[in-house]
């Protein structure tokens, strides 16, 4: 390399200017096509005939029922998964036992299994034709094609979010503070409440927000177990699909816009959290 | 400063004497401790001295109730305490990394053990504040009550950890490499500080170290360990004068 012709040295990790421009171009194009454009389209389609029509389409009985149902499912699935996630992360990080690696893999299972397959498994296990399902139906507790099935499907699909956020944080923090609390006379529960929980609170909130966004939007598994009964087991995503298939485009996109807005709110909260508590969250992002 | 003493259990009852009777410990396949026996007299300041991996921490944790032995017994004042819970043991434990509660101020750290007591035995708020202040005076850091652990130097953290352990009016004091993470000058100062606190409280105290100077200078009784075994138990001068095994001779002349 003839250094006389080079005006300045490039850092080892710095790309050539042309390549850099190309990479930035690809990134911007990708974001526009894949993220911004769909977002804009959703809201534009919803508001095509004006605010009033869009809002009215959300006001009918079936639409209101879908919104209620999605909020109800989320309100059950998210706290349940927060509790399961804390329990799983606690168990994995604070105790030594055989098969730990296997259990960690198991926690990730819902991420790798297709939601549709998960839904089918629930139908097989709890459907009216199965032993368990038959018994439950006979006793007035239908699971499949009813709300409990949707809750189960949603819990399964969104299970990993909280646990995956907590495990790296709890591994990094170790057991020393908990042990200190115990030697100072605190009970196990008090130790959990006053030492463990405050130490993981930001990771917990972060995982819960991700879980919420996903729980509201879950389609595949819910589609299989819900039976898509309008006004009863049709959640927001299911309703959107049904409306769209019936060429009720404004109604479909109005509901889609509402679902998107709910997701955006959780994303906004998540971003706010990242800005204000960057240091506590740093441990999470290392995984 | 005898007036600034925390009211210690040891000042009311005679200090604890501890008997370790054929304690062994293994973790899955690895043996951390072969059967070891040791008598710790009431009020003694004992050093567990040995190279890395010799089982010092394991033995200390068994005394504190953080680990349970695979076989053997622990006796406190002659009574079997092998299965006693960590809470019931009331051991003031100072961890190697201090393990201060990072989301609490120094005040709340020190007050933790008093607030964790069952309602009937919990001192009132004002009394807790009084005791915390007294302990901060004892460790000669009266002005740091409002700080968080990350805002303290290593030596300050170590002293706060000691104050937190003393706050529960412990029956014994257990310290795992209390000066391990500190530079030589601070180590020397804190060494004397520990001796003073031991002499004032009269508490039976066991500390772990791999620094033979520290053990010889500070302890009444030195326990030399190697590979899960106790090689020799004796007064510092006796160990120097008559090392019992080739290992001890090599280790203390190193
Ligand atoms: N929780 C555990 N699981 C498995 N093995 C362990 C565990 N704790 C200790 N050991 C093993 O037991 C042996 C003794 O460990 P210990 O921590 O008591 O040594 P130590 O004398 O304190 O060493 P150091 O000076 O390095 O702290 C070591 O071989 C260690 O690997
Ligand atoms: Mg150790």
């Amino acid at each position: 390399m003839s250094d006389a012709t080079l005006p300045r040295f490039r850092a080892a990790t710095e790309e050539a200017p042309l390549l850099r421009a190309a990479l930035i171009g690809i990134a911007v194009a990708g974001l526009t096509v894949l993220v911004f454009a769909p977002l804009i389209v959703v809201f534009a389609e919803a508001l095509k005939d004006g605010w009033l029509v869009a809002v009215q389409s959300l006001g009918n009985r079936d639409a209101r029922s879908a919104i209620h149902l999605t909020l109800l499912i989320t309100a059950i699935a998210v706290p349940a998964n927060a509790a399961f996630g804390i329990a799983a992360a606690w168990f994995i990080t604070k105790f030594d036992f055989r098969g730990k690696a296997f259990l960690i893999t198991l926690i990730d299972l819902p991420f790798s299994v297709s939601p549709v397959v998960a839904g089918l498994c629930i139908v097989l296990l709890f459907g009216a034709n199965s032993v368990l399902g038959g018994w439950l139906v006979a006793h007035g507790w239908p699971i499949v094609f009813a709300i409990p099935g949707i809750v189960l499907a949603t819990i399964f699909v969104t299970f990993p979010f909280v646990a995956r956020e907590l495990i790296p944080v709890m591994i990094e923090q170790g057991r020393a503070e908990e042990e200190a609390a115990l030697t100072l006379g605190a009970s196990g529960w008090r130790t959990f409440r006053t030492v463990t929980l405050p130490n993981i609170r930001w990771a917990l909130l972060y995982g819960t927000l991700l879980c919420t966004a996903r729980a509201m939007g879950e389609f595949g598994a819910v589609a299989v177990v819900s039976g898509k009964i309008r006004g009863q087991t049709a959640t927001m995503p299911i309703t959107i699909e049904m409306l769209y298939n019936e060429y009720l485009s404004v109604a479909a996109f109005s509901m889609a816009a509402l679902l998107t807005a709910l997701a955006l709110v959780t994303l906004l909260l998540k971003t706010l959290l990242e800005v204000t508590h960057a240091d506590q969250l740093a441990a999470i992002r290392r995984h | 400063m005898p007036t600034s003493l925390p009211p210690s259990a040891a000042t009311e009852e005679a200090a604890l004497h501890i008997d370790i009777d054929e304690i062994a410990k293994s973790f899955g396949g690895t043996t951390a401790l072969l059967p070891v026996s040791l008598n710790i007299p009431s009020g003694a300041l004992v050093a567990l001295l040995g190279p890395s991996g010799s089982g010092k921490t394991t033995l200390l944790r068994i005394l504190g109730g953080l680990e349970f032995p695979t076989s053997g017994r622990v006796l406190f004042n002659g009574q079997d305490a092998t299965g006693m819970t960590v809470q019931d043991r009331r051991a003031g434990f100072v961890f190697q990394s201090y393990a201060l509660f990072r989301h609490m101020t120094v005040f709340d750290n020190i007050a933790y053990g008093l607030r964790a007591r069952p309602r009937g035995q919990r001192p009132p708020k004002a009394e807790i504040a009084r005791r915390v202040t007294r302990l901060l005076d004892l460790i000669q850091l009266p002005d740091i009550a409002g700080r968080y652990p990350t805002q303290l130097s290593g030596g300050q953290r170590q002293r706060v950890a000691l104050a937190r352990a003393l706050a529960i009016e412990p029956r014994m004091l257990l310290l795992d490499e209390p000066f391990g993470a500190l530079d030589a000058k601070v180590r020397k100062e804190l060494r004397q500080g520990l001796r003073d606190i031991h002499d004032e409280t009269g508490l039976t105290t066991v500390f772990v170290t791999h620094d033979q100077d520290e053990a010889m200078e500070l302890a009444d009784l030195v326990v030399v360990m190697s590979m899960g075994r106790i090689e020799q138990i004796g007064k510092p001068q006796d160990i120097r004068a008559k090392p019992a095994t080739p290992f001890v001779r090599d280790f203390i002349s190193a």
Side-chain angles (χ1 to χ4, degrees):
Chain A
M1 198 186 287
S2 65
D3 45 11
T5 59
L6 271 178
R8 66 182 191 93
F9 292 106
R10 236 191 291 139
T13 52
E14 202 175 310
E15 308 299 343
L18 205 65
L19 182 59
R20 197 157 40 143
L23 286 174
I24 292 175
I26 291 172
V28 170
L31 272 178
T32 308
V33 172
L34 294 173
V35 181
F36 296 129
L39 266 181
I40 292 165
V41 168
V42 166
F43 285 97
E45 280 293 312
L47 301 173
K48 194 168 63 177
D49 299 336
W51 276 97
L52 208 62
V53 179
V55 173
Q56 266 170 1
S57 79
L58 293 174
N60 71 50
R61 225 178 46 112
D62 289 351
R64 282 214 311 269
S65 145
I67 296 166
H68 279 159
L69 183 59
T70 288
L71 293 180
L72 174 72
I73 301 295
T74 308
I76 298 172
V78 172
N81 269 346
F84 290 153
I86 291 171
W90 164 276
F91 193 60
I92 282 173
T93 56
K94 307 288 174 185
F95 299 95
D96 290 318
F97 55 91
R98 257 173 229 240
K100 199 169 187 168
F102 177 70
L103 192 62
I104 294 178
T105 313
L106 211 61
I107 285 179
D108 278 344
L109 190 70
F111 277 172
S112 37
V113 170
S114 161
V116 176
V117 175
L120 282 174
C121 291
I122 291 176
V123 171
L124 281 179
L125 269 176
F126 297 104
N129 294 331
S130 74
V131 178
L132 185 58
W135 186 84
L136 285 166
V137 170
H139 289 77
W141 278 92
I143 303 282
V144 172
F145 306 144
I147 291 176
I150 306 176
V151 171
L152 272 182
T154 307
I155 287 179
F156 178 83
V157 171
T158 59
F159 179 76
F161 284 101
V162 173
R164 278 182 64 103
E165 293 302 325
L166 294 186
I167 288 170
V169 174
M170 287 168 80
I171 286 177
E172 168 162 301
Q173 291 178 345
R175 306 173 195 177
E177 284 182 50
E178 273 96 0
E179 289 184 340
L182 295 175
T183 64
L184 294 170
S187 63
W189 170 239
R190 189 183 179 92
T191 299
F192 176 75
R193 216 163 30 81
T194 58
V195 177
T196 312
L197 212 50
N199 275 340
I200 60 169
R201 61 193 189 275
W202 298 117
L204 179 61
L205 194 55
Y206 192 89
T208 307
L209 286 173
L210 285 173
C211 186
T212 306
R214 189 73 179 76
M216 291 189 303
E218 174 50 27
F219 179 81
V222 171
V224 176
V225 299
S226 78
K228 301 187 182 178
I229 308 165
R230 218 179 278 264
Q232 282 182 35
T233 64
T235 60
M236 286 175 77
I238 304 278
T239 305
I240 292 168
E241 196 225 11
M242 293 196 298
L243 291 170
Y244 184 75
N245 286 342
E246 291 156 17
Y247 303 103
L248 298 168
S249 143
V250 168
F253 278 100
S254 297
M255 182 145 314
L258 180 62
L259 192 56
T260 308
L262 287 173
L264 286 179
V265 169
T266 54
L267 267 185
L268 189 77
L269 287 175
K270 187 177 91 92
T271 311
L272 222 64
L273 200 65
E274 282 169 339
V275 173
T276 50
H277 296 94
D279 45 338
Q280 285 104 326
L281 289 168
I284 308 173
R285 282 200 220 98
R286 249 172 258 146
H287 71 168
Chain B
M1 55 191 133
T3 49
S4 61
L5 251 180
S8 158
T11 55
E12 292 146 26
E13 357 163 340
L16 207 63
H17 77 89
I18 304 169
D19 295 307
I20 294 164
D21 179 21
E22 297 287 305
I23 287 282
K25 175 73 186 178
S26 52
F27 297 97
T30 51
T31 305
L33 279 178
L34 294 158
V36 295
S37 295
L38 171 65
N39 300 320
I40 300 173
S42 159
L45 178 54
V46 176
L48 301 181
L49 173 67
S52 187
S54 54
K56 310 180 295 290
T57 298
T58 304
L59 187 53
L60 196 75
R61 288 170 61 86
I62 289 174
L63 289 181
L66 290 169
E67 215 84 71
F68 289 92
T70 314
S71 64
R73 295 187 310 159
V74 179
L75 305 161
F76 291 159
N77 285 342
Q79 294 199 327
D80 194 335
T82 316
M84 196 188 241
T85 63
V86 52
Q87 290 94 344
D88 287 345
R89 291 190 191 214
R90 254 174 53 221
F93 206 108
V94 176
F95 291 79
Q96 189 165 5
S97 54
Y98 315 134
L100 295 175
F101 305 125
R102 67 192 89 184
H103 62 288
M104 291 182 205
T105 61
V106 166
F107 184 98
D108 291 336
N109 263 279
I110 297 176
Y112 188 90
L114 294 174
R115 290 178 178 154
R117 284 188 184 169
R119 208 164 292 262
Q121 293 154 255
R122 199 180 305 160
K125 247 189 171 141
E127 171 65 13
I128 290 177
R130 213 170 53 79
R131 290 204 205 174
V132 171
T133 310
R134 220 159 35 163
L135 283 160
L136 284 169
D137 287 340
L138 181 73
I139 58 167
Q140 296 168 355
L141 293 170
D143 303 320
I144 60 157
R147 293 215 218 150
Y148 285 89
T150 49
Q151 301 168 321
L152 302 176
S153 73
Q156 289 171 332
R157 279 179 211 177
Q158 198 271 342
R159 282 185 280 173
V160 172
L162 187 58
R164 181 178 70 175
L166 288 170
I168 61 165
E169 301 169 334
R171 298 160 76 201
M172 63 192 130
L173 210 47
L174 307 174
L175 308 96
D176 194 358
E177 310 228 9
F179 317 114
L182 305 168
D183 66 54
K185 184 168 164 291
V186 182
R187 279 176 96 108
K188 282 247 163 65
E189 283 168 25
L190 291 184
R191 228 185 253 182
Q192 192 52 47
L194 178 60
R195 180 82 232 182
D196 291 345
I197 283 171
H198 169 263
D199 293 350
E200 284 165 27
T201 57
L203 283 168
T204 308
T205 303
V206 182
F207 72 99
V208 163
T209 181
H210 55 245
D211 178 339
Q212 53 126 336
D213 285 339
E214 202 162 278
M216 298 295 184
E217 205 173 289
L218 203 50
D220 307 324
L221 199 64
V222 176
V223 178
V224 187
M225 297 183 64
S226 158
M227 295 165 67
R229 261 192 309 271
I230 292 181
E231 296 276 334
Q232 188 172 6
I233 305 167
K235 295 199 176 91
Q237 60 270 29
D238 295 344
I239 287 184
R240 270 222 188 80
K242 276 187 257 143
T245 64
F247 171 84
V248 178
R249 180 163 20 84
D250 290 349
F251 191 73
I252 60 166
S253 63

